[in-house]
Amino acid sequence: MNHQPRKRFGQNFLNDNLVIDRIIEFVNPQPAEIIIEVGPGLGALTLPLLERVDSLQVIEIDRDLIAKLQQRKNPKLTIHEADVLNINWPELAQDSPLRIVGNLPYNIGTPLLLNLLEARGCIADIHVMLQKEVVDRLCASVGSRAYGRLSVLMQSCFNVHELFIVPPSAFTPPPKVQSAVVRLTPLPTSPDKETVKKLSVATRMAFANKRKTLRNNLKEVLPETRIVEAGLNPQARAETLNLDQFLTLAKMLP
Ligand code: SAM
C-alpha cells in the first residue's frame, strides 16, 4: 500500500475481498440511486460500487487520498473534500433520498450517526461498518448491558439491524477491536423533530449517571411529580425504560 495510514483519520483499510463483497451485496446498489460513500480511502468499497452505479459521491477528509482518487479520472465519481461531520445532508439529497455507505473512521461513528438522525428525512438507508461495541449499543434492547442513549435515540427513528461481524484481520492496519456492519432504515413513522430534540435531552440526562434514579438524574428539568404523571417510577433507572416510556418522558419536558 503506497499510503501511510493516518491514525487521526481512523484509517483502517479493508483488505478482505469476501468482506467487501458481502457489504456490496447487502447494499445492493442500483444504477440510478444516489449513493454517498463516507471515507472512500484507497477505494476498497468505492471501486466495486462504481462498477454498479451511474454515479457515486464520496466524502473524504485526507487530501493525499483525494489526490489518489482524482488520478482515477472516473467520470462517475464526485469527490467532496470535506469533514463528513460538516456535511449539509439535505443539500446533497436535493429531493432524492440518500443511500449512505461506509467503513467509518471509528472516532466519528457516534457523532455521525447523531447527525444522520437529524437528517433522517432525506435518507433512504445507511450501511456502515463500526466498532462492534457501537453496533451492540445501536441494537441493544431495554435492560441489556449495552442499552443506552444511542440505542433509544436511533431506534426511535430507525430500524436497526446488525448484518455481520468483521474481525481485525480484515483491515490494514488491524484495529484492536472487532467491527460489525449495520443497516439502519428510517421507520415509516417516527417522532417529530421537537420530540426527538426532547428525547435527546431526556436520554442525555437520564443516562448521565447510570447508578442514579430518574428522579436524581432529571431533577434539573423535571420535578418528581411530572415523572409520576408520565406513569413512571421516579426511583427507576434509565436502563429499565423502553422506547415508548422514554418518548412519554420526553414529551413531559418543558
Ligand atoms: N473505505 C476505505 C476502506 O474501507 O478501506 C477506508 C475506510 S477508513 C476506516 C476511514 C476513511 O474515512 C479514511 O479514508 C479517512 O481518511 C476518512 N475520514 C476520516 N475522518 C473523516 C472525516 N471526518 N470526514 C470524511 N472522511 C474522513
Side-chain angles (χ1 to χ4, degrees):
M1 187 195 318
N2 186 13
H3 172 82
Q4 185 61 38
R6 296 197 164 102
K7 217 174 167 180
R8 72 174 189 283
F9 291 147
Q11 290 178 352
N12 299 98
F13 299 105
L14 267 171
N15 62 28
D16 185 326
N17 285 331
L18 286 179
V19 172
I20 293 168
D21 288 349
R22 268 187 103 182
I23 295 173
I24 302 294
E25 287 316 313
F26 274 115
V27 176
N28 190 21
Q30 300 301 308
E33 288 172 338
I34 305 206
I35 303 196
I36 313 279
E37 190 197 352
V38 178
L42 292 161
L45 298 171
T46 321
L47 303 182
L49 282 170
L50 280 168
E51 279 171 21
R52 301 233 198 160
V53 296
D54 295 340
S55 68
L56 177 68
Q57 301 185 51
V58 298
I59 302 166
E60 176 59 66
I61 200 168
D62 185 328
R63 287 192 182 161
D64 291 349
L65 293 175
I66 290 168
K68 283 183 198 297
L69 287 169
Q70 281 164 341
Q71 278 165 18
R72 295 190 176 271
K73 294 195 179 357
N74 189 320
K76 292 184 189 176
L77 186 63
T78 304
I79 304 170
H80 301 281
E81 179 182 341
D83 180 340
V84 69
L85 296 180
N86 296 332
I87 289 290
N88 181 334
W89 296 102
E91 202 174 283
L92 274 192
Q94 293 180 355
D95 296 337
S96 305
L98 305 172
R99 302 198 69 200
I100 310 230
V101 179
N103 167 17
L104 296 186
Y106 291 156
N107 46 345
I108 61 160
T110 303
L112 176 60
L113 289 171
L114 294 175
N115 280 2
L116 294 174
L117 173 69
E118 275 194 28
R120 64 192 175 281
C122 60
I123 287 172
D125 58 19
I126 303 170
H127 290 79
V128 282
M129 173 104 67
L130 291 156
Q131 285 134 294
K132 168 85 171 78
E133 180 248 319
V134 177
V135 173
D136 286 347
R137 287 201 275 133
L138 282 172
C139 303
S141 337
V142 58
S144 66
R145 209 173 51 84
Y147 187 68
R149 180 170 188 242
L150 193 65
S151 333
V152 176
L153 278 177
M154 296 308 289
Q155 290 174 25
S156 72
C157 297
F158 289 93
N159 197 332
V160 187
H161 185 56
E162 178 180 314
L163 298 174
F164 62 98
I165 295 174
V166 182
S169 59
F171 304 87
T172 308
K176 291 201 174 65
V177 293
Q178 297 246 17
S179 306
V181 181
V182 65
R183 172 189 286 150
L184 296 104
T185 319
L187 294 170
T189 53
S190 59
D192 59 60
K193 268 198 164 159
E194 189 59 28
T195 306
V196 176
K197 253 191 200 162
K198 287 183 174 182
L199 192 61
S200 173
V201 175
T203 49
R204 181 155 33 79
M205 302 200 78
F207 284 107
N209 187 332
K210 277 202 164 189
R211 274 176 306 181
K212 283 192 182 171
T213 60
L214 283 183
R215 187 187 59 185
N216 279 332
N217 274 333
L218 294 173
K219 65 173 181 255
E220 306 285 313
V221 285
L222 212 58
E224 184 172 354
T225 47
R226 297 283 284 160
I227 302 177
V228 175
E229 271 175 52
L232 300 170
N233 177 0
Q235 302 296 340
R237 293 196 165 77
E239 77 243 26
T240 66
L241 264 58
N242 64 26
L243 178 56
D244 285 342
Q245 290 171 316
F246 262 114
L247 283 169
T248 310
L249 191 66
K251 286 177 186 156
M252 289 300 215
L253 289 187

